[in-house]
Amino acid sequence: AQSVAQPEDQVNVAEGNPLTVKCTYSVSGNPYLFWYVQYPNRGLQFLLKYITGDNLVKGSYGFEAEFNKSQTSFHLKKPSALVSDSALYFCAVSSGTYKYIFGTGTRLKVLA
Amino acid sequence: DTEVTQTPKHLVMGMTNKKSLKCEQHMGHRAMYWYKQKAKKPPELMFVYSYEKLSINESVPSRFSPECPNSSLLNLHLHALQPEDSALYLCASSYPGPRTEAFFGQGTRLTVV
């Protein structure tokens, strides 16, 4: 069965510092991995995805993610955090057609 | 147009009421989804329509009734809900296939009193 794990409920980082939000996955077959962000009382916004190819994926708002097959990880990164990046972040894996398995979410707090 | 539009944004309903949630997209996506999300939890899949046909029903109680009138519209009819059904209801759409990302609406905040 496909699954993703987000080991941290919350990540705090100072504005201007690099940030990392962790995600590990367990899939049979090729992993199709996604990151979404959710601001309060809003829907999820797609940030980026890994399908195949380059292990470093660039996405929206300056975010990027590194796919590591040996460590089965897909960590979300940003070189310099902004206060406006504070939100809830979900990692997800595609489980067949039409099914996305979401992680439990990580709350990112960027401190001014 | 890369938007999924949901109406209403907020809804308060009594346990004996009948109401409907609406969702619209004009991206040409042929898969449309309903998710339920409780506070600080990941979205839980409820229903998937593919090419206007119900493809997935995640054992959702019959008090929730989905409808897909055409390729751009998705409704969720609500009847005799319980207070524990209070949640954020999210609509999403995508192209078919496991490699595609879903686009989400901003949700309907439902409160059952």
Side-chain angles (χ1 to χ4, degrees):
Chain A
Q2 324 281 58
S3 67
V4 290
Q6 293 181 245
E8 300 155 320
D9 287 338
Q10 182 159 321
V11 170
N12 294 329
V13 64
E15 188 176 29
N17 282 4
L19 70 87
T20 298
V21 183
K22 295 180 180 176
C23 173
T24 59
Y25 65 90
S26 173
V27 305
S28 52
N30 293 323
Y32 303 131
L33 297 159
F34 304 81
W35 275 103
Y36 289 87
V37 60
Q38 186 175 30
Y39 297 98
N41 296 310
R42 302 300 299 270
L44 278 66
Q45 293 180 36
F46 168 72
L47 284 177
L48 50 79
K49 67 181 177 183
Y50 173 82
I51 302 302
T52 187
D54 196 347
N55 289 342
L56 186 64
V57 180
K58 293 194 184 295
S60 307
Y61 313 120
F63 284 94
E64 56 191 29
E66 187 168 10
F67 173 73
N68 188 315
K69 188 173 183 178
S70 62
Q71 297 186 1
T72 62
S73 66
F74 187 55
H75 299 332
L76 182 70
K77 301 183 183 214
K78 188 174 183 183
S80 179
L82 300 172
V83 172
S84 56
D85 293 328
S86 299
L88 186 57
Y89 290 80
F90 289 103
C91 180
V93 64
S94 178
S95 174
T97 304
Y98 307 133
K99 280 205 177 189
Y100 302 92
I101 307 297
F102 288 92
T104 50
T106 298
R107 184 161 302 281
L108 174 67
K109 227 177 196 182
V110 181
L111 307 168
Chain B
D1 185 356
T2 58
E3 275 198 359
V4 176
T5 304
Q6 289 187 243
T7 55
K9 291 185 173 48
H10 300 274
L11 179 63
V12 179
M13 62 184 290
M15 289 189 283
T16 58
N17 289 162
K18 283 186 181 180
K19 295 286 184 184
S20 297
L21 310 185
K22 297 186 182 303
C23 174
E24 189 168 6
Q25 58 89 13
H26 295 288
M27 293 178 277
H29 292 164
R30 301 310 296 272
M32 295 188 76
Y33 310 74
W34 281 114
Y35 284 87
K36 173 183 177 180
Q37 187 181 28
K38 291 283 203 178
K40 300 182 183 178
K41 298 290 187 184
E44 299 170 24
L45 183 63
M46 300 174 71
F47 303 103
V48 181
Y49 273 83
S50 172
Y51 294 89
E52 295 97 71
K53 289 188 179 3
L54 185 63
S55 293
I56 296 175
N57 176 344
E58 293 285 89
S59 302
V60 179
S62 60
R63 58 185 183 267
F64 296 91
S65 175
E67 178 195 20
C68 189
N70 60 51
S71 60
S72 299
L73 293 175
L74 187 66
N75 299 322
L76 186 63
H77 303 298
L78 314 172
H79 174 53
L81 294 193
Q82 303 298 310
E84 59 265 29
D85 296 321
S86 298
L88 183 67
Y89 287 83
L90 296 167
C91 175
S93 69
S94 75
Y95 293 110
R99 303 181 176 206
T100 61
E101 63 273 22
F103 289 77
F104 285 79
Q106 68 175 34
T108 294
R109 174 70 61 190
L110 174 67
T111 303
V112 182
V113 297

